[in-house]
Amino acid sequence: RKRVLITGGAGFVGSHLVDKLMLDGHEVIALDNYFTGRKKNVEHWIGHPNFEMVHHDVVNPYFVEVDQIYHLASPASPPHYMYNPVKTIKTNTLGTINMLGLAKRVKATVLLASTSEVYGDPEVHPQPESYWGHVNTIGPRSCYDEGKRVAESLMIAYNKQENVKIRIARIFNTFGPRMHMNDGRVVSNFIIQALQDNPITIYGNGTQTRSFQYVTDLVDGLIKLMNSNYSAPVNIGNPEEHTIGQFATIIRDLVPGSKSEIINLESQQDDPQQRRPDIRRAAEQISWKPQILMKDGLLKTIEYFRAEIDRNK
Amino acid sequence: RKRVLITGGAGFVGSHLVDKLMLDGHEVIALDNYFTGRKKNVEHWIGHPNFEMVHHDVVNPYFVEVDQIYHLASPASPPHYMYNPVKTIKTNTLGTINMLGLAKRVKATVLLASTSEVYGDPEVHPQPESYWGHVNTIGPRSCYDEGKRVAESLMIAYNKQENVKIRIARIFNTFGPRMHMNDGRVVSNFIIQALQDNPITIYGNGTQTRSFQYVTDLVDGLIKLMNSNYSAPVNIGNPEEHTIGQFATIIRDLVPGSKSEIINLESQQDDPQQRRPDIRRAAEQISWKPQILMKDGLLKTIEYFRAEIDRNK
Ligand SMILES: NC(=O)c1ccc[n+]([C@@H]2O[C@H](COP(=O)([O-])OP(=O)(O)OC[C@H]3O[C@@H](n4cnc5c(N)ncnc54)[C@H](O)[C@@H]3O)[C@@H](O)[C@H]2O)c1
Ligand SMILES: NC(=O)c1ccc[n+]([C@@H]2O[C@H](COP(=O)([O-])OP(=O)(O)OC[C@H]3O[C@@H](n4cnc5c(N)ncnc54)[C@H](O)[C@@H]3O)[C@@H](O)[C@H]2O)c1
Ligand SMILES: O=c1ccn([C@@H]2O[C@H](COP(=O)(O)OP(=O)(O)O)[C@@H](O)[C@H]2O)c(=O)[nH]1
Ligand SMILES: O=c1ccn([C@@H]2O[C@H](COP(=O)(O)OP(=O)(O)O)[C@@H](O)[C@H]2O)c(=O)[nH]1
Ligand SMILES: O=c1ccn([C@@H]2O[C@H](COP(=O)(O)OP(=O)(O)O)[C@@H](O)[C@H]2O)c(=O)[nH]1
Ligand SMILES: O=c1ccn([C@@H]2O[C@H](COP(=O)(O)OP(=O)(O)O)[C@@H](O)[C@H]2O)c(=O)[nH]1
């Protein structure tokens, strides 16, 4: 039984991680500033003796005694991280420095939720961890991409210099229940559009690709990585790749009776054109690979959004 | 007449910038924590009514009223920036945030001393500003490279969001008097080795290239950029490119009577293999190009080191 801190614990991924660690019997402290997270995501644990929810912003120092830190606090979808780019960078720099300072003081292991965005608009496909990436330092995504890149550099620096035990997960696109209705990500957008018979909006010609993993697969991978001995970056994602165009059709077909048409809007600046993880390292080092079929994951997610839409009526 | 803050003002480049701005009649505040800078570099101005030297670390907030900020504070040579990688990243993140917060409050223009290292080990040659770079987020140089990359992203974020007026200089290798004796950079190493008849140490086979500018050219470029209206990154460097092997011979030949032999040592991890600026943007946007011939610059630098060595005897 471990004492575990989860920053961003009221968010989409964080709340699923809370669920799993609570079910496994650990003591969990979830920390969040509620920028995109919601108390509702963890409300079923409130009052449980092993659970604590802390309202705090990671850009400010935080003191607690824990064994493990899952550091997930950061806006994650393009509209959210571009909403306040200065704050996005502060969260990923100051926030990561504070969590590393905390880990150093209490000798905890810290896992960084890094991202496939460190590869940017990749020129190597699929992306292995050895690929250095292709990122525009001054583009609209740079607040997030460069913030996460330097967060990785901070992890390595505290590891080398202060012997902090580190884990770096490079997370690829993830979906599932508790994604935000309005965070503008493709899965939530397309499902909501299909459920409401609104046009399904493809940005650009739809030939750009992504690979989507279901959130419980990710949570499994994060926990396996944390409890391994491996301190270099590890891709966590599902290598099943689709174009965004295909994806629009797949989702519409999974929503019976949807009358949505599929339309093309303007493409987005610096939008990565392809993305698929090479996950051989995860298989070798932490014996992980995704288990959930995309279709099964999508059906659960569609049910979640259907209920959310009904609730909000 | 302007009020100008120079962070890193007691360093190599900073002190030459102090000289030029003082001679032009401005009020200059030089700020430094003396990590690699020395009071000696600016001692000739101490007591001058237009000059102030402040002992301060940029990772801590600093309050002053100024019109322009040249933000140069950062260790700059590989041995110095790798000495304390955590501090290198803190300086480039927290330090840049503080200077941008200051610029925002007093409506000053801030110029960031960025670096050709944002291009990393480049796969495009020569490097134009539009090149996104090739940097290892977890390599030994990442504390500096990623620190500077995210500093650029911070500049852009404060510009877009808070209307801070910004300038970004991507500085290529620079040499001249007041380089540190022991900072391990190639020009200082080779000159001191040649002057002392010690072996001239090439790391690797010496086919890697660099392009070297003389420090007064750089200072000219920084001032022109600051007083322009241009807020995108601008390369400031001399496009004359040499291999490190050639460079060893050039320097030995400029030190009459040197009996140094030229030797090859192990190559350094992640050492960029080639580097040369494309400086068309500087020509077009700020009417700048380098004026000093490498040989003339080297002769002045050799004289400086000869005097330093004598003084230390
Ligand atoms: N979901 C994905 O597809 C994906 C892909 C790659 C990486 N990631 C990373 O995984 C992590 C979780 O992402 P998510 O999809 O759950 O997003 P999310 O927005 O649901 O979760 C992020 C949580 O962090 C909180 N937060 C943001 N800034 C904070 C601050 N300064 N202090 C305290 N809390 C703060 C938010 O309120 C939110 O609860 C993020 O770090 C993200 O970058 C996610
Ligand atoms: N010289 C080059 O070839 C070169 C090339 C590219 C970029 N640059 C950039 O130009 C700037 C100046 O470089 P330089 O060659 O003069 O190096 P330098 O080491 O001589 O100067 C840097 C100065 O910053 C000071 N400093 C470092 N950390 C500080 C902190 N936390 N607070 C306050 N002061 C601090 C140092 O004491 C020093 O005086 C740096 O930002 C460097 O990254 C230099
Ligand atoms: O339990 C802790 C210990 C440290 N920190 C913060 O972590 C940061 C980095 O810590 P480090 O030890 O590197 O920095 P220092 O305290 O030496 O400046 C500092 O801003 C601390 O305030 C924290 O939030 N919680
Ligand atoms: O309504 C939408 C939302 C997103 N996208 C595209 O879907 C891909 C994934 O976008 P998302 O924001 O989900 O994630 P990221 O770009 O960070 O991978 C990108 O190519 C977007 O341009 C789209 O075509 N329509
Ligand atoms: O004259 C100033 C104004 C601000 N700051 C610092 O600059 C940083 C960033 O400023 P910003 O306005 O973005 O941050 P905020 O004060 O809103 O947190 C803060 O840590 C301030 O302490 C500073 O050093 N000098
Ligand atoms: O004694 C030395 C010092 C440096 N170098 C090489 O010279 C080049 C420039 O190194 P420096 O540290 O001056 O600058 P940077 O690598 O940051 O351009 C690199 O390829 C180094 O490996 C070398 O061969 N011998």
Side-chain angles (χ1 to χ4, degrees):
Chain A
R1 170 152 150 186
K2 296 236 156 62
R3 292 163 308 169
V4 184
L5 173 65
I6 305 177
T7 74
F12 161 50
V13 176
S15 65
H16 285 277
L17 187 58
V18 168
D19 289 352
K20 178 77 173 113
L21 292 171
M22 285 296 295
L23 291 173
D24 289 350
H26 299 289
E27 279 178 48
V28 175
I29 302 169
L31 179 158
D32 212 292
N33 73 347
Y34 302 116
F35 173 51
T36 53
R38 299 187 301 172
K39 271 212 190 88
K40 195 173 174 306
N41 288 338
V42 292
E43 66 183 355
H44 43 291
W45 296 115
I46 294 193
H48 191 292
N50 287 354
F51 183 71
E52 193 179 334
M53 183 73 230
V54 178
H55 191 157
H56 182 82
D57 194 307
V58 284
V59 305
N60 299 311
Y62 180 68
F63 297 84
V64 69
E65 316 303 308
V66 290
D67 306 303
Q68 300 185 329
I69 303 168
Y70 290 88
H71 177 39
L72 273 55
S74 165
S77 74
H80 284 144
Y81 65 66
M82 292 180 198
Y83 170 74
N84 184 337
V86 168
K87 184 59 193 269
T88 299
I89 306 182
K90 285 181 178 171
T91 294
N92 278 296
T93 54
L94 305 184
T96 304
I97 289 172
N98 286 332
M99 290 307 109
L100 284 162
L102 167 58
K104 169 181 142 189
R105 182 178 61 81
V106 302
K107 302 203 191 316
T109 306
V110 50
L111 179 149
L112 172 70
S114 184
T115 166
S116 54
E117 288 277 328
V118 301
Y119 303 123
D121 189 1
E123 291 171 320
V124 166
H125 195 71
Q127 294 82 52
E129 291 86 350
S130 56
Y131 176 52
W132 289 3
H134 182 224
V135 170
N136 182 0
T137 59
I138 58 168
R141 287 175 174 253
S142 67
C143 56
Y144 183 69
D145 299 6
E146 295 295 344
K148 290 285 188 182
R149 286 176 65 97
V150 80
E152 288 194 1
S153 307
L154 276 164
M155 298 282 288
I156 295 291
Y158 273 86
N159 173 251
K160 271 209 192 149
Q161 189 175 325
E162 311 285 356
N163 289 312
V164 173
K165 283 168 281 167
I166 59 162
R167 308 285 180 260
I168 301 173
R170 291 189 178 152
I171 302 172
F172 282 65
N173 295 61
T174 306
F175 71 97
R178 302 189 197 145
M179 288 184 87
H180 317 261
M181 299 280 285
N182 313 314
D183 80 350
R185 280 190 270 200
V186 69
V187 179
S188 40
N189 274 8
F190 285 7
I191 292 179
I192 293 165
Q193 290 161 345
L195 285 170
Q196 302 190 321
D197 292 330
N198 288 327
I200 294 183
T201 54
I202 293 178
Y203 302 153
N205 61 14
T207 55
Q208 74 270 40
T209 70
R210 292 292 188 278
S211 309
F212 294 95
Q213 75 184 326
Y214 189 63
V215 64
T216 55
D217 277 336
L218 169 60
V219 163
D220 256 26
L222 295 179
I223 292 173
K224 281 198 162 137
L225 177 59
M226 174 63 98
N227 296 299
S228 76
N229 265 320
Y230 196 72
S231 52
V234 178
N235 289 338
I236 312 267
N238 192 322
E240 187 183 330
E241 182 182 5
H242 294 279
T243 68
I244 296 301
Q246 289 168 339
F247 208 62
T249 316
I250 293 171
I251 288 187
R252 192 181 51 186
D253 292 350
L254 288 176
V255 177
S258 173
K259 293 195 254 324
S260 294
E261 53 170 350
I262 294 174
I263 63 170
N264 293 78
L265 302 181
E266 230 187 311
S267 66
Q268 293 186 302
Q269 196 190 331
D270 288 354
D271 197 1
Q273 287 310 296
Q274 47 182 10
R275 190 183 287 154
R276 170 154 60 103
D278 177 330
I279 58 169
R280 281 174 296 178
R281 185 178 284 182
E284 280 161 27
Q285 297 293 341
I286 63 169
S287 307
W288 175 87
K289 64 172 202 287
Q291 307 292 341
I292 309 287
L293 291 179
M294 187 171 84
K295 193 185 148 188
D296 296 340
L298 281 174
L299 288 172
K300 288 192 195 172
T301 312
I302 290 167
E303 280 331 296
Y304 169 80
F305 279 114
R306 200 192 297 280
E308 281 290 291
I309 290 169
D310 287 349
R311 227 173 38 87
N312 292 336
K313 257 179 195 153
Chain B
R1 169 151 150 186
K2 297 234 156 63
R3 292 163 307 171
V4 184
L5 174 66
I6 305 176
T7 74
F12 161 49
V13 175
S15 65
H16 284 278
L17 186 58
V18 167
D19 289 352
K20 179 76 173 113
L21 292 171
M22 285 297 294
L23 291 173
D24 289 349
H26 298 290
E27 280 178 48
V28 175
I29 302 169
L31 179 158
D32 212 290
N33 73 347
Y34 303 117
F35 173 52
T36 54
R38 298 187 301 172
K39 271 211 191 91
K40 195 174 174 304
N41 288 339
V42 292
E43 65 183 357
H44 44 291
W45 296 114
I46 292 190
H48 191 292
N50 287 355
F51 183 72
E52 194 178 334
M53 183 71 230
V54 177
H55 191 157
H56 182 82
D57 195 305
V58 284
V59 304
N60 299 312
Y62 179 68
F63 296 85
V64 69
E65 314 304 307
V66 290
D67 306 303
Q68 300 185 329
I69 304 168
Y70 290 89
H71 178 39
L72 275 55
S74 165
S77 73
H80 284 144
Y81 65 66
M82 292 180 197
Y83 170 74
N84 183 337
V86 167
K87 185 59 193 270
T88 299
I89 306 183
K90 285 180 178 171
T91 294
N92 278 297
T93 53
L94 305 184
T96 303
I97 290 171
N98 286 331
M99 290 307 109
L100 284 162
L102 168 58
K104 168 181 143 189
R105 183 178 60 80
V106 302
K107 302 202 191 317
T109 307
V110 51
L111 180 149
L112 172 70
S114 184
T115 166
S116 54
E117 288 277 328
V118 300
Y119 303 123
D121 190 0
E123 291 171 321
V124 166
H125 195 71
Q127 295 82 52
E129 291 85 351
S130 56
Y131 177 52
W132 289 2
H134 182 223
V135 169
N136 183 358
T137 58
I138 59 168
R141 287 175 174 254
S142 67
C143 56
Y144 182 70
D145 300 7
E146 294 295 345
K148 290 284 187 182
R149 285 176 66 97
V150 80
E152 289 195 1
S153 307
L154 277 164
M155 297 284 287
I156 295 291
Y158 273 86
N159 173 252
K160 271 207 192 151
Q161 189 175 325
E162 311 286 356
N163 288 310
V164 174
K165 282 169 283 171
I166 60 162
R167 309 284 179 261
I168 301 173
R170 290 189 178 151
I171 302 173
F172 282 65
N173 295 60
T174 306
F175 71 97
R178 301 187 198 147
M179 288 186 87
H180 317 260
M181 298 280 287
N182 313 315
D183 78 352
R185 280 191 271 199
V186 69
V187 179
S188 41
N189 274 8
F190 285 6
I191 291 179
I192 293 165
Q193 290 161 345
L195 285 169
Q196 302 190 321
D197 293 331
N198 288 328
I200 294 182
T201 53
I202 294 176
Y203 302 154
N205 61 14
T207 55
Q208 73 269 41
T209 71
R210 291 293 188 277
S211 308
F212 293 96
Q213 75 184 328
Y214 190 64
V215 64
T216 56
D217 278 336
L218 169 60
V219 164
D220 257 26
L222 295 178
I223 292 173
K224 281 197 163 139
L225 177 58
M226 173 63 97
N227 295 298
S228 75
N229 265 321
Y230 196 74
S231 53
V234 178
N235 289 339
I236 311 267
N238 192 322
E240 188 183 330
E241 182 181 5
H242 294 277
T243 68
I244 296 301
Q246 290 168 337
F247 207 62
T249 315
I250 293 171
I251 287 186
R252 191 180 52 185
D253 292 350
L254 287 177
V255 176
S258 172
K259 293 195 256 321
S260 293
E261 53 170 350
I262 295 173
I263 64 170
N264 295 78
L265 302 182
E266 229 187 312
S267 65
Q268 294 186 300
Q269 195 190 332
D270 288 354
D271 197 0
Q273 287 311 296
Q274 46 182 11
R275 191 183 288 153
R276 170 154 60 103
D278 177 332
I279 58 169
R280 281 175 296 179
R281 185 178 283 182
E284 280 160 27
Q285 298 291 342
I286 62 169
S287 307
W288 174 87
K289 65 173 202 288
Q291 306 292 339
I292 310 287
L293 292 179
M294 188 171 83
K295 193 185 148 187
D296 295 341
L298 281 175
L299 288 172
K300 288 192 196 171
T301 312
I302 290 168
E303 280 331 294
Y304 170 79
F305 279 114
R306 199 191 296 279
E308 282 289 292
I309 290 169
D310 286 349
R311 227 172 39 86
N312 291 337
K313 258 180 195 151

